Amino acid sequence: MSEWLPGAARDIEMLQLGSVLEELSAPGGRRVLVLHGPPGAGKSTLARRLATEFGASHDIPVHWLALGYRRSDPEQVLLRLLRRAGEMPPGDLCDALLGRLTNLVSLAYAARGNWPNAIPSLFVLDALTEGTPGRVLLRLVTDLFRDTPHNLIVTARSHGAPWDEVPDIVRHEITPLDDFSPREWVAARYAQLTEQDAALMDTLVSWQGGEFSPDMPLFGDRITVSEMRQSIERLHEHQLLQQTRPGWYEVRLPVRNEIHRYHGRHNRRSGSDLLDTTLARSLIDEPGELGEAAEPTVDLALRLARAGTLDPPDFTGRLARQLAVEGALLPLLMLKAGLRRAGGDDSALTVPLAMAVRHAGQPEAAARTLAGVDTEDAIRELALTQHHMGLLHEAESTLDTLLTGRPDGWALHIRAAIRTDRGELHAVGPLLRRAIETHQVRGDRRGEAWAVFHYGRLRLMRWDLEEARKRLEAAWHTFRDVGDVLGATWANTELRRVAMLLQGQELDVLAEVMALEELQEAPSAHQRCGDVRGEAWATLLLGVAYADAGQPETASRALERALKSFESLPDRLGRAWALHHLAPTTLRSGSAQLHQALEAFAEAGCAGGQAWTQLQLALHPRRSQSLPGTSAWLDKAQLGFEAIDDITGARLVSVLRNGLLPGSRRELAIRTLTGLYPRRILDGIDWNTGQVTLPHTLRHLAPEPGAFTDDTLPADLPLTASRVRLTLLGRRPPTVGRPTHLSLLVVPGPDHPQWSAPEDLWSQLTARATPLTDSDIEPAHSIPIGADAHFRFVPHTPGRHRIRFTIEHAQSRTVLQQVETEFDVTDPSATVPPVAPPPVSEGRA
């Protein structure tokens, strides 16, 4: 009879031990059962059967921790227990990661405070280490499990285990079956193996690792993954392997010992080190999400550190970054504690540890850790941390300290993200295009995914929804390929926003409701990957969606939750937006919240948020009765939008000025909106009462002129249009250093009030030219249009040049239209064909 096949001889023992476990699980009972006996007695099999039946009958999870052959110190086992036992105090865990908590036992006792409220579980520590380390660990876990809903089964050898020194445990000795010889049993089973299965078994026995999965390239290219799975299943059926958890296996300890004795110990150590190096290289060459492989991979890194071999370059640092991205804080702490005990170099962990702490909701602690490190990697991470804290100016100043000798894709897309949050979208596109190219040249797929993600976000804000969806989906797929769980979750959240805007644009109410339901899942998705800031921003966006869906009470609750999260992080920019959006939903204290938001935006360095808040102050019910106050806020908002080159924001202010102030004209106000916003924006404006309700989502958008067609406007409104005509004077093409003259003229349409007397229109308008490339324009100020306006343009470099012209109403300083033109400038020595004048640009004026 096999000791690993439960037979009648074990059934009576099973009944006895089942009763013992029932007594242990009673309130106030002892929580630890120790099954001890000589090798080959069947301790592990009995423990597995006992745990499986007890877990099924009580409907509780069973956690199997196979210590087996791995070289494990009590700290590592303790951390594995903590990872499965319940919630960890995030503050204490972050302190341990950053090195301010050196005693991990203190961390365990801090975590124990949450265990009484945790789901009851049954733990199995299989093959406890002999001697002092095992006794210390057993004493510790016994004390930790006291007065908790968790039970623990321990298997261990009898030799060298003074159980009498450990109180509060129940001991049970397992005696071998009389008719069973482990050596004969292993030899017989080994002889039945195929050549492929025997070769795999030899590899596993000589390997110093513990748990493995069929996906691990233990055989390299010699067999396929399918063949590997079949071999492992056959070895499991032969009972040479035991399953530690679904999809994971380990060589049974008696089997390992017997095969070692059977084959000898020749070259086992060198073969194991070579296999570890091969495994590490495969993880570098094919990065992906670690998931359940986190702990075995940490074991791999620690074995390489203890062996003193030359592991693949930066393997430990790459592993630490991957753990940080996945929010695997305890495996990351296992890596740090193990390297410290092994005497390895843990300097490569500084930045990944800061990343992990930032994701866990402690950005200030991460910033303090990074402040004294002057590597490029640390500087980039510090800038990103400051960005996430809402310190936009400080973040960009930190990036400025990087050396500029070569393109830096990460610095470029971080800078682009900072400027996006400021509202300075005109400068973002070129930065992201350079970032994507740089990442592609260096083969950095994760960096490329983040740059593409930010570009998708930019297209979303510009209302180029199809392009945004395409870019965000591409980023999501790449994030998944490289195992960036956090990035994939952010991309998925933005894709849900795109879906909502697309359905709202098509006025499909049912589809819009379904899109809102999908967005409701976003905060919990960020929570699952340990991204505290992501959860807060997803909650804010959900509150915005509720507000626009006509659910102000639900919106207020979501926005209040987001506000608390932003304040605890802290994230100044997030706090500012939460206050900004709360104001219209809580009118009683809305004015005070808007002023707080204005201060918070100023502290964060977000000019776009300041402009939107100033505009909202102009529209606030308490301000609407004071027209001079409204006008002053509108002036500030318009100057703010113009300062960041937000054309749509400036024209929206013009709409409100023309539609709300005394003597304004509704027709001119709505005509200014042509091509800027969708129809539902117009429907939200009540020009008769002067009450304006702007959608909350609008604050996070800056559509490009012409994003919408004229059919979004009311059909009964007699709209007219004027053309802005730009003419390049002279017959010579523009060349470097040579003045070129341009003429600008506004031509009213046939239904325009000034069609018959255009000079009346020209007397009300001014034009201003702004060079967007390396060139000079004279005059630099606004000039009356008159019959036409003349500008002198002097380019300083060859290539494509761009100029922006701004048409304003002379008396109110309202921006009516902005148009851009571009043309090629050649070197004076080059011979080129004549250049055609720039095309006529049309728009509403």
Short mmCIF file of all heavy atoms in Angstrom, two decimals, residues 483-521:
data_model
loop_
_atom_site.label_atom_id
_atom_site.label_comp_id
_atom_site.label_asym_id
_atom_site.label_seq_id
_atom_site.Cartn_x
_atom_site.Cartn_y
_atom_site.Cartn_z
N GLY A 483 2.56 43.24 -19.09
CA GLY A 483 2.22 42.99 -17.70
C GLY A 483 2.03 44.23 -16.85
O GLY A 483 2.09 44.15 -15.62
N ASP A 484 1.76 45.39 -17.48
CA ASP A 484 1.52 46.61 -16.72
C ASP A 484 0.04 46.69 -16.37
O ASP A 484 -0.78 47.24 -17.11
CB ASP A 484 1.95 47.84 -17.53
CG ASP A 484 2.05 49.10 -16.66
OD1 ASP A 484 1.27 49.21 -15.70
OD2 ASP A 484 2.91 49.95 -16.94
N VAL A 485 -0.32 46.10 -15.23
CA VAL A 485 -1.71 46.03 -14.81
C VAL A 485 -2.27 47.42 -14.55
O VAL A 485 -3.41 47.74 -14.91
CB VAL A 485 -1.85 45.16 -13.54
CG1 VAL A 485 -3.30 45.02 -13.13
CG2 VAL A 485 -1.23 43.79 -13.79
N LEU A 486 -1.46 48.25 -13.92
CA LEU A 486 -1.90 49.60 -13.60
C LEU A 486 -2.21 50.40 -14.87
O LEU A 486 -3.25 51.05 -14.96
CB LEU A 486 -0.83 50.30 -12.77
CG LEU A 486 -1.16 51.67 -12.21
CD1 LEU A 486 -0.62 51.80 -10.80
CD2 LEU A 486 -0.54 52.77 -13.07
N GLY A 487 -1.32 50.34 -15.86
CA GLY A 487 -1.55 51.06 -17.10
C GLY A 487 -2.77 50.55 -17.83
O GLY A 487 -3.57 51.33 -18.37
N ALA A 488 -2.97 49.22 -17.85
CA ALA A 488 -4.13 48.65 -18.52
C ALA A 488 -5.42 49.13 -17.86
O ALA A 488 -6.43 49.39 -18.55
CB ALA A 488 -4.06 47.13 -18.50
N THR A 489 -5.42 49.26 -16.53
CA THR A 489 -6.62 49.72 -15.83
C THR A 489 -6.92 51.18 -16.16
O THR A 489 -8.08 51.56 -16.37
CB THR A 489 -6.43 49.55 -14.31
OG1 THR A 489 -6.03 48.20 -14.04
CG2 THR A 489 -7.72 49.83 -13.58
N TRP A 490 -5.89 52.02 -16.23
CA TRP A 490 -6.10 53.41 -16.61
C TRP A 490 -6.64 53.51 -18.04
O TRP A 490 -7.56 54.29 -18.33
CB TRP A 490 -4.79 54.19 -16.51
CG TRP A 490 -4.54 54.77 -15.15
CD1 TRP A 490 -3.82 54.21 -14.14
CD2 TRP A 490 -5.03 56.01 -14.63
NE1 TRP A 490 -3.81 55.03 -13.04
CE2 TRP A 490 -4.55 56.15 -13.31
CE3 TRP A 490 -5.82 57.02 -15.17
CZ2 TRP A 490 -4.84 57.25 -12.51
CZ3 TRP A 490 -6.10 58.14 -14.37
CH2 TRP A 490 -5.62 58.24 -13.06
N ALA A 491 -6.07 52.73 -18.96
CA ALA A 491 -6.54 52.76 -20.35
C ALA A 491 -7.99 52.32 -20.43
O ALA A 491 -8.79 52.90 -21.18
CB ALA A 491 -5.66 51.87 -21.22
N ASN A 492 -8.36 51.32 -19.64
CA ASN A 492 -9.75 50.84 -19.65
C ASN A 492 -10.71 51.89 -19.12
O ASN A 492 -11.82 52.07 -19.64
CB ASN A 492 -9.85 49.56 -18.82
CG ASN A 492 -11.08 48.75 -19.16
OD1 ASN A 492 -11.58 48.79 -20.28
ND2 ASN A 492 -11.56 47.99 -18.21
N THR A 493 -10.29 52.63 -18.11
CA THR A 493 -11.13 53.72 -17.58
C THR A 493 -11.36 54.80 -18.64
O THR A 493 -12.49 55.27 -18.83
CB THR A 493 -10.48 54.34 -16.33
OG1 THR A 493 -10.37 53.35 -15.30
CG2 THR A 493 -11.29 55.51 -15.81
N GLU A 494 -10.30 55.19 -19.34
CA GLU A 494 -10.45 56.21 -20.38
C GLU A 494 -11.30 55.69 -21.55
O GLU A 494 -12.06 56.45 -22.15
CB GLU A 494 -9.08 56.65 -20.88
CG GLU A 494 -8.23 57.37 -19.85
CD GLU A 494 -8.88 58.66 -19.36
OE1 GLU A 494 -9.47 59.38 -20.18
OE2 GLU A 494 -8.80 58.95 -18.15
N LEU A 495 -11.20 54.41 -21.86
CA LEU A 495 -12.04 53.84 -22.92
C LEU A 495 -13.51 53.89 -22.53
O LEU A 495 -14.38 54.10 -23.40
CB LEU A 495 -11.63 52.40 -23.19
CG LEU A 495 -10.38 52.21 -24.06
CD1 LEU A 495 -9.89 50.77 -24.02
CD2 LEU A 495 -10.66 52.66 -25.49
N ARG A 496 -13.81 53.73 -21.27
CA ARG A 496 -15.20 53.84 -20.81
C ARG A 496 -15.70 55.27 -20.95
O ARG A 496 -16.87 55.51 -21.27
CB ARG A 496 -15.31 53.36 -19.36
CG ARG A 496 -15.16 51.85 -19.22
CD ARG A 496 -14.98 51.42 -17.79
NE ARG A 496 -15.00 49.96 -17.67
CZ ARG A 496 -14.61 49.30 -16.60
NH1 ARG A 496 -14.14 49.96 -15.55
NH2 ARG A 496 -14.67 47.98 -16.56
N ARG A 497 -14.83 56.24 -20.72
CA ARG A 497 -15.22 57.64 -20.93
C ARG A 497 -15.51 57.90 -22.41
O ARG A 497 -16.47 58.60 -22.76
CB ARG A 497 -14.11 58.57 -20.45
CG ARG A 497 -13.92 58.63 -18.95
CD ARG A 497 -12.84 59.63 -18.62
NE ARG A 497 -13.21 60.97 -19.00
CZ ARG A 497 -12.36 61.95 -19.26
NH1 ARG A 497 -11.05 61.71 -19.24
NH2 ARG A 497 -12.77 63.15 -19.59
N VAL A 498 -14.66 57.36 -23.28
CA VAL A 498 -14.88 57.52 -24.72
C VAL A 498 -16.23 56.94 -25.10
O VAL A 498 -16.99 57.55 -25.87
CB VAL A 498 -13.75 56.84 -25.52
CG1 VAL A 498 -14.09 56.79 -27.00
CG2 VAL A 498 -12.44 57.56 -25.30
N ALA A 499 -16.55 55.75 -24.58
CA ALA A 499 -17.84 55.13 -24.90
C ALA A 499 -19.00 56.00 -24.46
O ALA A 499 -20.00 56.15 -25.19
CB ALA A 499 -17.92 53.76 -24.23
N MET A 500 -18.89 56.63 -23.30
CA MET A 500 -19.96 57.51 -22.83
C MET A 500 -20.13 58.71 -23.75
O MET A 500 -21.25 59.10 -24.10
CB MET A 500 -19.68 57.98 -21.40
CG MET A 500 -19.95 56.95 -20.34
SD MET A 500 -20.17 57.72 -18.72
CE MET A 500 -21.62 58.71 -19.01
N LEU A 501 -19.04 59.32 -24.15
CA LEU A 501 -19.12 60.50 -25.01
C LEU A 501 -19.65 60.14 -26.39
O LEU A 501 -20.42 60.90 -26.99
CB LEU A 501 -17.75 61.16 -25.12
CG LEU A 501 -17.21 61.78 -23.83
CD1 LEU A 501 -15.80 62.29 -24.03
CD2 LEU A 501 -18.12 62.90 -23.35
N LEU A 502 -19.27 58.98 -26.90
CA LEU A 502 -19.77 58.56 -28.21
C LEU A 502 -21.28 58.33 -28.17
O LEU A 502 -22.02 58.76 -29.06
CB LEU A 502 -19.06 57.27 -28.65
CG LEU A 502 -17.65 57.44 -29.22
CD1 LEU A 502 -16.99 56.08 -29.39
CD2 LEU A 502 -17.69 58.18 -30.55
N GLN A 503 -21.75 57.67 -27.11
CA GLN A 503 -23.19 57.41 -27.02
C GLN A 503 -23.96 58.71 -26.78
O GLN A 503 -25.04 58.91 -27.32
CB GLN A 503 -23.48 56.41 -25.89
CG GLN A 503 -22.77 55.09 -26.03
CD GLN A 503 -23.01 54.42 -27.36
OE1 GLN A 503 -24.05 54.62 -27.98
NE2 GLN A 503 -22.05 53.63 -27.83
N GLY A 504 -23.40 59.61 -25.97
CA GLY A 504 -24.06 60.89 -25.75
C GLY A 504 -24.13 61.71 -27.02
O GLY A 504 -25.09 62.44 -27.28
N GLN A 505 -23.06 61.61 -27.84
CA GLN A 505 -23.04 62.36 -29.10
C GLN A 505 -24.12 61.86 -30.05
O GLN A 505 -24.71 62.62 -30.80
CB GLN A 505 -21.66 62.19 -29.75
CG GLN A 505 -21.47 62.93 -31.05
CD GLN A 505 -20.03 62.83 -31.54
OE1 GLN A 505 -19.25 63.74 -31.34
NE2 GLN A 505 -19.70 61.73 -32.18
N GLU A 506 -24.41 60.54 -30.00
CA GLU A 506 -25.42 59.96 -30.87
C GLU A 506 -26.81 60.01 -30.24
O GLU A 506 -27.77 59.51 -30.82
CB GLU A 506 -25.05 58.52 -31.18
CG GLU A 506 -23.73 58.41 -31.95
CD GLU A 506 -23.28 56.97 -32.11
OE1 GLU A 506 -24.06 56.07 -31.70
OE2 GLU A 506 -22.19 56.74 -32.65
N LEU A 507 -26.91 60.59 -29.03
CA LEU A 507 -28.19 60.75 -28.32
C LEU A 507 -28.90 59.41 -28.13
O LEU A 507 -30.11 59.31 -28.23
CB LEU A 507 -29.10 61.74 -29.08
CG LEU A 507 -28.52 63.14 -29.28
CD1 LEU A 507 -29.51 64.02 -30.03
CD2 LEU A 507 -28.18 63.78 -27.95
N ASP A 508 -28.13 58.36 -27.89
CA ASP A 508 -28.67 57.03 -27.62
C ASP A 508 -28.76 56.87 -26.12
O ASP A 508 -27.77 56.55 -25.45
CB ASP A 508 -27.78 55.96 -28.24
CG ASP A 508 -28.41 54.57 -28.15
OD1 ASP A 508 -29.26 54.36 -27.28
OD2 ASP A 508 -28.03 53.69 -28.96
N VAL A 509 -29.95 57.11 -25.54
CA VAL A 509 -30.10 57.15 -24.09
C VAL A 509 -29.78 55.80 -23.46
O VAL A 509 -29.07 55.71 -22.46
CB VAL A 509 -31.52 57.61 -23.71
CG1 VAL A 509 -31.69 57.60 -22.19
CG2 VAL A 509 -31.80 58.99 -24.27
N LEU A 510 -30.30 54.71 -24.05
CA LEU A 510 -30.08 53.39 -23.48
C LEU A 510 -28.59 53.03 -23.49
O LEU A 510 -28.05 52.55 -22.50
CB LEU A 510 -30.87 52.35 -24.26
CG LEU A 510 -30.72 50.89 -23.77
CD1 LEU A 510 -31.16 50.78 -22.32
CD2 LEU A 510 -31.54 49.95 -24.66
N ALA A 511 -27.92 53.29 -24.61
CA ALA A 511 -26.50 53.00 -24.70
C ALA A 511 -25.70 53.86 -23.73
O ALA A 511 -24.70 53.41 -23.16
CB ALA A 511 -26.01 53.21 -26.13
N GLU A 512 -26.15 55.10 -23.52
CA GLU A 512 -25.45 55.98 -22.59
C GLU A 512 -25.58 55.47 -21.15
O GLU A 512 -24.64 55.53 -20.37
CB GLU A 512 -26.00 57.40 -22.71
CG GLU A 512 -25.12 58.46 -22.07
CD GLU A 512 -25.58 59.87 -22.42
OE1 GLU A 512 -26.62 60.02 -23.06
OE2 GLU A 512 -24.88 60.81 -22.03
N VAL A 513 -26.75 54.94 -20.80
CA VAL A 513 -26.96 54.36 -19.47
C VAL A 513 -26.05 53.14 -19.28
O VAL A 513 -25.44 52.96 -18.23
CB VAL A 513 -28.44 53.98 -19.27
CG1 VAL A 513 -28.61 53.18 -17.98
CG2 VAL A 513 -29.31 55.22 -19.22
N MET A 514 -25.94 52.31 -20.32
CA MET A 514 -25.06 51.13 -20.23
C MET A 514 -23.60 51.55 -20.09
O MET A 514 -22.83 50.92 -19.34
CB MET A 514 -25.26 50.26 -21.47
CG MET A 514 -26.65 49.64 -21.57
SD MET A 514 -26.87 48.67 -23.09
CE MET A 514 -25.65 47.39 -22.84
N ALA A 515 -23.22 52.62 -20.81
CA ALA A 515 -21.84 53.11 -20.69
C ALA A 515 -21.57 53.63 -19.28
O ALA A 515 -20.47 53.45 -18.73
CB ALA A 515 -21.58 54.20 -21.72
N LEU A 516 -22.57 54.26 -18.67
CA LEU A 516 -22.43 54.74 -17.29
C LEU A 516 -22.26 53.56 -16.33
O LEU A 516 -21.45 53.62 -15.39
CB LEU A 516 -23.64 55.59 -16.90
CG LEU A 516 -23.67 56.11 -15.46
CD1 LEU A 516 -22.45 56.97 -15.16
CD2 LEU A 516 -24.96 56.91 -15.22
N GLU A 517 -22.99 52.49 -16.57
CA GLU A 517 -22.86 51.31 -15.71
C GLU A 517 -21.46 50.71 -15.81
O GLU A 517 -20.91 50.23 -14.82
CB GLU A 517 -23.92 50.28 -16.10
CG GLU A 517 -25.34 50.70 -15.74
CD GLU A 517 -26.38 49.69 -16.20
OE1 GLU A 517 -25.99 48.72 -16.90
OE2 GLU A 517 -27.57 49.86 -15.87
N GLU A 518 -20.87 50.74 -17.01
CA GLU A 518 -19.51 50.23 -17.15
C GLU A 518 -18.51 51.13 -16.42
O GLU A 518 -17.55 50.64 -15.81
CB GLU A 518 -19.14 50.15 -18.63
CG GLU A 518 -19.87 49.04 -19.38
CD GLU A 518 -19.35 48.89 -20.79
OE1 GLU A 518 -18.42 49.63 -21.16
OE2 GLU A 518 -19.88 48.04 -21.53
N LEU A 519 -18.75 52.45 -16.46
CA LEU A 519 -17.86 53.36 -15.76
C LEU A 519 -17.94 53.16 -14.25
O LEU A 519 -16.96 53.41 -13.53
CB LEU A 519 -18.21 54.81 -16.12
CG LEU A 519 -17.26 55.90 -15.61
CD1 LEU A 519 -15.85 55.71 -16.16
CD2 LEU A 519 -17.78 57.29 -15.97
N GLN A 520 -19.07 52.68 -13.76
CA GLN A 520 -19.22 52.44 -12.33
C GLN A 520 -18.24 51.38 -11.82
O GLN A 520 -17.92 51.35 -10.63
CB GLN A 520 -20.66 52.00 -12.02
CG GLN A 520 -21.69 53.11 -12.21
CD GLN A 520 -23.12 52.59 -12.12
OE1 GLN A 520 -23.35 51.39 -12.05
NE2 GLN A 520 -24.07 53.49 -12.13
N GLU A 521 -17.76 50.51 -12.71
CA GLU A 521 -16.83 49.47 -12.30
C GLU A 521 -15.38 49.97 -12.24
O GLU A 521 -14.50 49.26 -11.74
CB GLU A 521 -16.90 48.30 -13.30
CG GLU A 521 -18.28 47.67 -13.41
CD GLU A 521 -18.75 47.08 -12.10
OE1 GLU A 521 -17.90 46.51 -11.38
OE2 GLU A 521 -19.94 47.20 -11.77
#
